[in-house]
Amino acid sequence: MRAGLVGYSSSEEDEEEEGGGKSQGGGARGPPVASSGRPRLPAPVGLPGDPDPEEAVSDDSARHGGRVRGFPHERGNWATHVYLPYVAQEEFLELLELLVSRARTYVPSVAAMEEFHLSLSQCVVLRYHWIDPFVRSLRERLAGFHRFFCVADQVKVYTNQNKTRTFIGLEVSAGHFQLLELVSEVDRVLEEFDLPTFYKDPSFHISLAWCVGDLSGKLEGQCLRELQDIVDEFEDSALLLRFQWEQIRCKSGNKYFSFPLR
């Protein structure tokens, strides 16, 4: 089985989503076009919240567990990601421990994720002065959605776009329709700001573990079959891996915005 492709950003959370292979490129485009068709005026430099020059982010991968930034850090650019957050239950963490332990017999450097989510967007670059209108547009488009369930019980191996990291995830096997509806609305907001939309044929999933480099060849085949057996044989896995989504979240830099589902 060929590893899926995922599009992650520079941070540990935002870099981990998988699904397709579009380039990021959001920060290199011109200002978004307003609904009237006129381009928005660029904001002046030095707005509150813009990082000072001395606050520039280090791109030294040795300081970030070997992770490589998906796009260069630029002053005033905020890595932005829309996703469904999941707070892990004790039983889920027990299953995770079993999976990571088995995966380490094939790739010793595999590490468990510390937070869990299901992506509804790629990680894109948003200018600081676009954050508030971006969030307002998201809130308007997502206001009518209700809570729903999906099942994620198929183990799959993914890599990020530049093949610098490999991930083990649980792919969604039921609930695609609701997820695609959400992605459609998020995509419309991204298009308003001339940002890359989500993958055309996404592999919705929750990432469980990761390692540096493209080690998909070692994790697929026999390892993948053993990991799937662990999931299938885990007590009450059918109930455990049925996820109820109650809110959507947007992370932009160090800012978090929540959109409760009805």
Side-chain angles (χ1 to χ4, degrees), residues 183-253:
V183 166
S184 176
E185 293 303 315
V186 174
D187 277 353
R188 292 187 180 188
V189 177
L190 292 166
E191 288 171 347
E192 289 177 22
F193 291 80
D194 197 25
L195 294 170
T197 56
F198 205 39
Y199 308 111
K200 296 303 180 184
D201 186 20
S203 173
F204 293 113
H205 67 279
I206 298 171
S207 290
L208 304 176
W210 69 284
C211 60
V212 174
D214 182 3
L215 298 177
S216 55
K218 294 184 177 181
L219 291 172
E220 292 178 329
Q222 182 61 30
C223 177
L224 187 60
R225 288 189 289 271
E226 293 179 13
L227 295 178
Q228 188 64 58
D229 287 343
I230 291 173
V231 169
D232 294 341
E233 296 168 7
F234 192 78
E235 184 177 3
D236 295 329
S237 64
L239 181 61
L240 176 63
L241 301 180
R242 185 172 183 260
F243 301 89
Q244 181 179 22
W245 305 112
E246 299 183 350
Q247 65 170 307
I248 299 166
R249 192 171 292 168
C250 175
K251 178 177 184 286
S252 187

Side-chain angles (χ1 to χ4, degrees), residues 85-179:
Y86 171 64
V87 179
Q89 306 171 36
E90 182 178 352
E91 294 85 353
F92 184 88
L93 296 177
E94 292 174 0
L95 174 59
L96 175 64
E97 184 177 356
L98 291 174
L99 293 170
V100 170
S101 178
R102 181 61 59 86
R104 283 176 177 165
T105 65
Y106 291 86
V107 177
S109 60
V110 167
M113 304 298 296
E114 296 181 358
E115 296 183 4
F116 307 95
H117 65 268
L118 191 154
S119 284
L120 300 175
S121 79
Q122 300 188 62
C123 183
V124 298
V125 178
L126 198 63
R127 296 294 293 175
Y128 176 78
H129 54 284
W130 295 350
I131 295 176
D132 284 346
F134 182 85
V135 170
R136 283 197 300 270
S137 187
L138 275 179
R139 197 174 301 280
E140 291 171 3
R141 289 198 172 274
L142 299 174
F145 283 91
H146 294 263
R147 299 178 184 184
F148 67 99
F149 289 93
C150 77
V151 176
D153 58 2
Q154 300 300 303
V155 184
K156 188 170 180 178
V157 175
Y158 300 88
T159 59
N160 63 351
Q161 288 184 323
N162 53 11
K163 304 289 186 179
T164 59
R165 289 201 290 160
T166 304
F167 300 85
I168 300 171
L170 287 174
E171 186 179 31
V172 169
S173 60
H176 284 85
F177 178 76
Q178 294 92 331
L179 293 170

Side-chain angles (χ1 to χ4, degrees), residues 40-52:
R40 295 191 180 102
L41 292 175
V45 297
L47 283 173
D50 273 5
D52 294 328

Side-chain angles (χ1 to χ4, degrees), residues 52-71:
D52 294 328
E54 61 269 21
E55 295 176 345
V57 177
S58 170
D59 286 331
D60 182 2
S61 63
R63 298 179 57 185
H64 305 285
R67 298 190 301 275
V68 178
R69 182 176 294 277
F71 41 79

